[in-house]
Amino acid sequence: MKLKLLHAADIHLDSPFSGLDSRSAEARRGELRSAFTAMMTYAAKADTDLVLLSGDLFDGDLVTRETVALLARECENYGRPVFIAPGNHDPASPNSVWRRVTFPDNVHIFTSASLDAVDLCDADGQDTGVTVYGWAFTGPDLDEVPLDGTAVDDPARINLLVCHADMTDPHSSDCPLTAAHLDAFGADYAALGHIHNPPAPGPACRYAYPGCLEPRGFDERGPKGAILAEIEKMDGPSTVSLRRIRFSKRRYERADCDVTGSETSADVRESIRQTILSFARESGWGADTCAALRLTGSISPGLVLDTETLAANPPCVGSLRLEDRTVPDADPAALAADPGIRGAVYRELKPALESADPREREVAIRALRYALRAITGERV
Ligand SMILES: [Mn+2]
């Protein structure tokens, strides 16, 4: 018996993308919807037997009619079984779309916070030997794991589990599932959702998080997508093979860029360019990449960086954001001992330069730079 499935989670359709202006946010919501469409098209083309969607399909209660229609249409076009296990962002509460909307017949939505099971039949109504287990969040929290102690009914079948659960924290209020629960349950594959930046699953892992489908900011880094799982079961234990497939239109990446020794803005710009080019070579950064670089190191004391100008028209990447964490390359002991105006300025700023508050330190560093630059006669 062989089974091929596509597993996705944490799609968060209709996310507000609150960090963006309203036009860019609308554009990103469109990209998110089209990543979902691309995934469902792939699922059909790759000739999968079913699709498992492990929660947080929607970002929250505010769901547009168009997006619900899109979900229903994509599932209907796919035509094979689709299982949905609502998560903490889109719980199957009484007023949720999961209970109010009628989805196509091939869509099964788990709506109970206790374990349910569905035996899969083919188009002729014949049993396929596959059982899909699952549960739903019915509110924002799920303190109990609906699996506690249970095992699959018939280990000879291919048993799948689809659910939203948090395996990272045994005290989580988002269904604190553990590896021990899963071992005791004995599913051939558990399709999990909740963790947006999971480590890559081992190729033969029996449970996995796919991560989100499309990143929404710098806390969701790297290419994103879904998991293609192939399960084979003859007599005895099954074999599982997993592969991650990218569907995200964008990727967000963050890195440090050491600009130590820079004398001019042009030097800094060159360091930024080299850093981006090396990530493009080694990690595939490109036009799809929203990059954020943190500038570090010590630079010429009078050099004040205009991060906005430096970030404009970056090489390779789609967009660039810069954060200035550089420090002026001045010898503090020499400055403190300087009898002239440089020393006076330094001594005045010293408490703030050594402040425990990073914001205050940042302002003081900037003030010192402007002062040193003004003293040397440069225009500020
Ligand atoms: Mn989520």
Side-chain angles (χ1 to χ4, degrees):
M1 192 163 31
K2 265 186 184 178
L3 191 71
K4 196 197 251 188
L5 65 91
L6 197 71
H7 162 208
D10 297 288
I11 302 176
H12 289 264
L13 292 165
D14 287 346
S15 276
F17 288 91
S18 44
L20 302 174
D21 62 76
S22 64
R23 253 179 69 191
S24 314
E26 187 47 49
R28 289 291 287 137
R29 277 193 289 276
E31 289 184 338
L32 177 52
R33 283 190 295 266
S34 74
F36 175 69
T37 301
M39 181 194 87
M40 293 304 290
T41 306
Y42 175 91
K45 282 209 174 122
D47 209 21
T48 56
D49 300 293
L50 72 162
V51 166
L52 302 177
L53 301 172
S54 315
D56 288 4
L57 206 54
F58 298 113
D59 190 60
D61 295 337
L62 292 173
V63 177
T64 62
R65 203 178 288 272
E66 290 77 15
T67 302
V68 176
L70 172 86
L71 172 64
R73 191 168 63 240
E74 290 301 334
C75 289
E76 186 161 29
N77 289 345
Y78 172 62
R80 279 150 271 178
V82 176
F83 288 85
I84 297 174
N88 57 311
H89 276 265
D90 59 353
S93 54
N95 282 319
S96 64
V97 288
W98 305 126
R99 289 180 181 273
R100 281 187 294 121
V101 176
T102 308
F103 285 93
D105 287 344
N106 61 318
V107 179
H108 182 92
I109 298 159
F110 290 101
T111 52
S112 161
S114 41
L115 188 67
D116 266 336
V118 178
D119 289 337
L120 218 61
C121 294
D122 63 17
D124 307 320
Q126 296 294 307
D127 177 41
T128 60
V130 177
T131 301
V132 182
Y133 291 85
W135 65 74
F137 274 63
T138 52
D141 294 331
L142 185 56
D143 295 314
E144 304 285 313
V145 178
L147 221 49
D148 232 352
T150 18
V152 299
D153 288 334
D154 181 359
R157 297 173 71 82
I158 289 185
N159 294 294
L160 305 172
L161 173 66
V162 55
C163 64
H164 203 74
D166 185 358
M167 286 190 74
T168 66
D169 175 7
H171 304 292
S172 176
S173 58
D174 294 321
C175 191
L177 184 69
T178 63
H181 286 125
L182 291 176
D183 283 345
F185 186 61
D188 295 283
Y189 179 64
L192 308 174
H194 190 57
I195 304 300
H196 290 198
N197 296 299
C205 231
R206 292 204 176 271
Y207 57 87
Y209 287 102
C212 47
L213 191 70
E214 180 74 44
R216 292 170 300 159
F218 287 100
D219 53 348
E220 297 176 348
R221 293 197 293 279
K224 299 291 183 189
I227 290 175
L228 183 71
E230 290 182 78
I231 300 158
E232 197 170 346
K233 195 167 196 170
M234 299 302 168
D235 304 317
S238 57
T239 57
V240 175
S241 88
L242 306 182
R243 195 149 58 91
R244 292 226 278 192
I245 315 271
R246 174 178 176 171
F247 293 105
S248 66
K249 307 285 172 196
R250 310 262 181 149
R251 58 191 280 192
Y252 286 75
E253 300 289 356
R254 197 153 57 182
D256 281 350
C257 173
D258 189 345
V259 296
T260 295
S262 295
E263 298 280 341
T264 64
S265 287
D267 296 340
V268 174
R269 186 182 290 278
E270 182 54 22
S271 295
I272 293 169
R273 202 177 76 87
Q274 290 301 337
T275 300
I276 292 176
L277 291 180
S278 104
F279 278 110
R281 261 192 323 271
E282 278 148 37
S283 312
W285 289 17
D288 63 347
T289 307
C290 307
L293 290 181
R294 188 168 64 173
L295 305 176
T296 62
S298 52
I299 59 174
S300 179
L303 180 55
V304 179
L305 300 180
D306 175 355
T307 47
E308 230 164 86
T309 307
L310 283 167
N313 305 314
C316 290
V317 294
S319 71
L320 176 64
R321 209 187 275 188
L322 294 174
E323 183 192 351
D324 182 7
R325 287 296 183 85
T326 58
V327 291
D329 182 15
D331 176 6
L335 274 178
D338 190 322
I341 189 165
R342 286 161 58 99
V345 168
Y346 178 77
R347 287 186 295 274
E348 184 69 28
L349 287 171
K350 196 163 183 277
L353 286 166
E354 290 165 357
S355 162
D357 174 6
R359 178 79 198 128
E360 192 179 353
R361 272 201 318 272
E362 202 180 298
V363 172
I365 287 173
R366 223 171 160 78
L368 180 64
R369 277 186 174 146
Y370 279 117
L372 294 174
R373 190 159 160 184
I375 294 162
T376 55
E378 281 182 67
R379 245 164 48 93
V380 177

